[in-house]
Amino acid sequence: MTDRPTTLADLARVCGVSSATASRAINGKPGVRPEVRERVRRVAESIGFVPNRSAQHLASGRSSLIGVVFPSDGLRSDPYAAAMIDAIGRAAAKAGFGTLLHLEAGAPPEQVFAMLQRSGSDGLIVSALAASAMWISELAAAGVPVVYVGRPSPDVDLPFVTAESFSASIRATEHLFEQGCRTVACLTGPLDRPDARDRYDGFVEAHRLAGLPIDDSLVVVGDFTAAAGVAAVEELLRLGVDGVVAANDLMARGVVSGLVQRGVAVPGEIAVVGYDGTVGAEFPPVLTTVRQPFDAIGERAVAMLIAILDGEAPGSEVLAAELVVGDTSVRARR
Amino acid sequence: MTDRPTTLADLARVCGVSSATASRAINGKPGVRPEVRERVRRVAESIGFVPNRSAQHLASGRSSLIGVVFPSDGLRSDPYAAAMIDAIGRAAAKAGFGTLLHLEAGAPPEQVFAMLQRSGSDGLIVSALAASAMWISELAAAGVPVVYVGRPSPDVDLPFVTAESFSASIRATEHLFEQGCRTVACLTGPLDRPDARDRYDGFVEAHRLAGLPIDDSLVVVGDFTAAAGVAAVEELLRLGVDGVVAANDLMARGVVSGLVQRGVAVPGEIAVVGYDGTVGAEFPPVLTTVRQPFDAIGERAVAMLIAILDGEAPGSEVLAAELVVGDTSVRARR
DNA sequence: CTGAAAGCGCTTACAG
DNA sequence: CTGAAAGCGCTTACAG
């Protein structure tokens, strides 16, 4: 990377040992006298020795790189993607891995496939929102370690880590009931997405538990975009609802903005709950939302990937998500 | 990456040529008979040959990896960072480079330094918002190609690409004057940030051009966060302003939300303009804002980095930014 | 136009 | 505990 970088050989020469010993000392491998190890490390530090990752990769087969696959537009438009990538990046760094960002950017599938193969990463952490599912499965079948973040479609048989959606959605819906809402609508994500489906199911279950009838017309299907939230407003007003459970914050914010724009009081006339808990939820009116444990998800995903690299077969994990009450749902009791 | 990947040697054997020839054919280097080149490429395709990046790196000294350095919290909280990273990632991919994401995450500087050195990337694209400035300069001095995105502090003598701030800010301020605003406040970013300073200077210049006096109390210093926008509301109301030019969308949105929350009409009583043009600006009330040319910035940054790799010394670039009028500023003329 | 050979900077059995 | 040596998969002068 610089003019003439210091190599392991340089380090070994200065220390008067073989590069084999220097390598073992640096990497904490057994079979080096403690005082030698100490000296090598000190010298390495002082002459600024930095191992060449590619050489390590070539020699050991491990690149210490994790590929992260997300839909490109997601990063640009959905704070969820940014938060998730941030969390994965931190967790990876903490575990000694670099993060290779793969944005799909609507590239033809073959290119995505080639890109992922070429990347030379030890494994992939893939967003359940990524479009390359079938290519990912092919890579996994070819031996590439893969962990999903978010729940992938049922036909994808790969480990994943996601936040609780079903019970969190029950909780969110019940919260609106508790606030006195009687006619609650559900603004869902695409229902072929398992996480979106779970949130919808939770909405239904909450009604069942409360002994309330469910009117199918109260289910509005969106696509996780703010625009979908805005677009749903008209329908919601026509339905005469007094509460809305949205499948993510972006749609929830769209609904709130659209309602306020029309002079409808939130939460006075219509209460709104979102899902994600990204920073965008934090400014006025603060969204009531279900906060995903981003950092925990990132850490578990990285840990699971490392487990796979170590030959284990980790199971999927569903992490708890917390309802955080903000301004958009709390109203005076009737 | 998979069980026993096909190597250049495999490819060469199948084609009945040496690996040297196979290498040249694959990489489009001169000195290969057209029909041979064609055949090698076809076979490579059919047997699914994918060159090993690390081996290429080791042999050629080029890793085809670009390191992207951003403050970690920025990615999670500011859509600007997400949009910029997305744009850089796309541009890099288009140019055949992978993207290594380096999030500072408040790591101690030595670690950042080591991380960047270890990364093995061919060069770095660094956000002007990154905290590692002095380490970056040290790396650059050591021969690492660096291009900044956003204008770095004046003591950083490295090429950058940024969007027009000064004239865009003049334009934004004049737009408020045209809407009938008479007392316009400026909600700035940290004034030691050149881009923030330029936006502030543009605000001042617009007043000078209009022959209006400037009242220093109309300048409120923020920190680019939505919270700063919300926090500024009280002060803005006390000042009795009828217009606000914010240094980014996050603060502008904070201001708008805070004002609406207090029942102040936007833009009726107070008009607001932001800066960035991220997707967050697009839902109601749609922010009037200055749209940064993210994709162009990403493309230029990547192109400049490649130029440096080719031994050139590209100059910095300032790209045009466009005022996009939304809902938060247009009001009936007096 | 083509190939044999050296070399990039590491790691890792294999001997000792 | 330590070292000499082979090898990871490419690229690139150097000959021909």
Side-chain angles (χ1 to χ4, degrees), chain B residues 8 23-24 27 29 56 59:
Chain B
L8 224 214
S23 170
R24 293 187 189 105
N27 297 309
K29 300 250 161 123
Q56 289 185 133

Side-chain angles (χ1 to χ4, degrees), chain A residues 8 23-24 27 29 59:
Chain A
L8 223 214
S23 171
R24 293 187 190 106
N27 296 310
K29 299 251 163 123

Side-chain angles (χ1 to χ4, degrees), chain B residues 176 181-186 203 218 236 240-245 267 269-273 331:
Chain B
L176 291 185
C181 297
R182 287 294 160 256
T183 315
V184 178
C186 186
F203 169 82
L218 290 178
L236 294 171
V241 304
D242 55 4
V244 180
V245 177
E269 298 177 66
I270 301 185
V272 180
V273 182
R331 47 195 212 172

Side-chain angles (χ1 to χ4, degrees), chain A residues 150-216:
Chain A
R151 192 191 291 262
S153 9
D155 54 306
V156 174
D157 187 27
L158 293 167
F160 62 83
V161 42
T162 192
E164 184 56 72
S165 275
F166 180 67
S167 63
S169 181
I170 294 178
R171 187 74 203 83
T173 310
E174 287 175 339
H175 168 69
L176 291 185
F177 290 159
E178 289 161 13
Q179 296 303 312
C181 297
R182 288 293 160 256
T183 315
V184 179
C186 185
L187 179 52
T188 76
L191 290 177
D192 55 336
R193 302 271 188 203
D195 284 323
R197 166 62 74 167
D198 284 350
R199 289 170 208 169
Y200 163 71
D201 287 344
F203 169 82
V204 172
E205 178 67 7
H207 281 75
R208 206 186 58 74
L209 291 173
L212 295 172
I214 302 156
D215 182 349
D216 278 352

Side-chain angles (χ1 to χ4, degrees), chain A residues 135-147:
Chain A
W135 301 94
I136 300 296
S137 292
E138 192 161 320
L139 286 170
V144 178
V146 173
V147 171

